[in-house]
Amino acid sequence: MFAGLVEEVGRIGSLDRKGEGMCLTISCKQVLEGVRVGDSIAVNGVCLTVVGFDSHQFWTDVMPETMNRSNLNHLALGSPVNLERALRVGDRLGGHFVQGHVDGMGRILLCTSRENAVLFRIGVPPELTQWMVDQGSVAVNGISLTIVTVEPEAFTVSIIPHTLQSTQLKEARAGDSVNIECDMIGKYAAKWATTNEASARAKWQEAEADARF
């Protein structure tokens, strides 16, 4: 579990593609403090397991499902990536609960400056916007952000200068793909509502059928 608060921007040191999977080497510093093999680190919002490390980098494996669902498949040598260590019991939660389980990818459509902020309009499939609401939470490349507006196939977030300078988004451009994780609470609420609606419809149909007889 993560908070969506990026600790450091790392760089891809090597990519060893193995069929549909991949082994990544990520150069970094801060997230290596106290790291152990088996620890979880979010890389662009994707929860990955540390399989090895030294004083300036760590290694992690990326399985085919993750390659297909996230933008890790688009990385190249030197690509910047957002890094965050998993939460510890007692840590402050300054963002929102982020699982590191990406729901899908979006594409940056537009970056617009507005006063001291930058608005990012991001295109996504409609199956993702069904879990979004205005002023709700979303993780973009692992960054906890507040949604400004939601459209059928896009949403907008507003980025403050600190977030922009402290994350991979400072190098992002229109056309770039980004990992999207919708708010966990929103997904459970939508599932609950859908299930209850289906159950109520089934009971109504049963009652209607009984009434005919």
Side-chain angles (χ1 to χ4, degrees), residues 23 25 145 164 189 208:
C23 179
T25 301
L145 298 171
L164 194 64
E208 187 180 50

Coordinates of all heavy atoms in Angstrom, one line a residue, residues 23 25 145 164 189 208:
C23 N 13.4 -7.4 -16.9 CA 14.1 -7.1 -15.7 C 14.6 -5.6 -15.8 O 15.2 -5.3 -16.8 CB 15.2 -8.0 -15.5 SG 16.2 -7.7 -13.9
T25 N 16.6 -2.3 -14.1 CA 17.6 -1.7 -13.2 C 17.2 -0.2 -13.1 O 17.2 0.5 -14.1 CB 19.0 -1.9 -13.6 OG1 19.3 -3.3 -13.8 CG2 20.0 -1.3 -12.6
L145 N -3.5 12.6 -6.9 CA -4.0 13.9 -7.4 C -5.5 14.0 -7.2 O -6.2 13.0 -7.1 CB -3.6 14.1 -8.9 CG -2.2 14.1 -9.3 CD1 -2.0 14.0 -10.8 CD2 -1.5 15.3 -8.7
L164 N 4.9 19.2 -9.6 CA 5.5 19.2 -10.9 C 7.0 19.1 -10.9 O 7.6 18.2 -11.6 CB 5.1 20.5 -11.7 CG 5.3 20.5 -13.2 CD1 4.4 19.5 -13.9 CD2 5.0 21.9 -13.8
A189 N -17.2 1.2 -4.1 CA -18.6 1.7 -4.0 C -19.3 1.5 -5.3 O -20.5 1.1 -5.3 CB -18.5 3.3 -3.8
E208 N -42.6 -9.8 -10.1 CA -43.5 -9.5 -11.3 C -43.9 -10.8 -11.9 O -45.1 -11.0 -12.2 CB -42.7 -8.7 -12.3 CG -43.6 -8.3 -13.5 CD -42.8 -7.5 -14.5 OE1 -41.7 -7.9 -14.9 OE2 -43.2 -6.3 -14.9

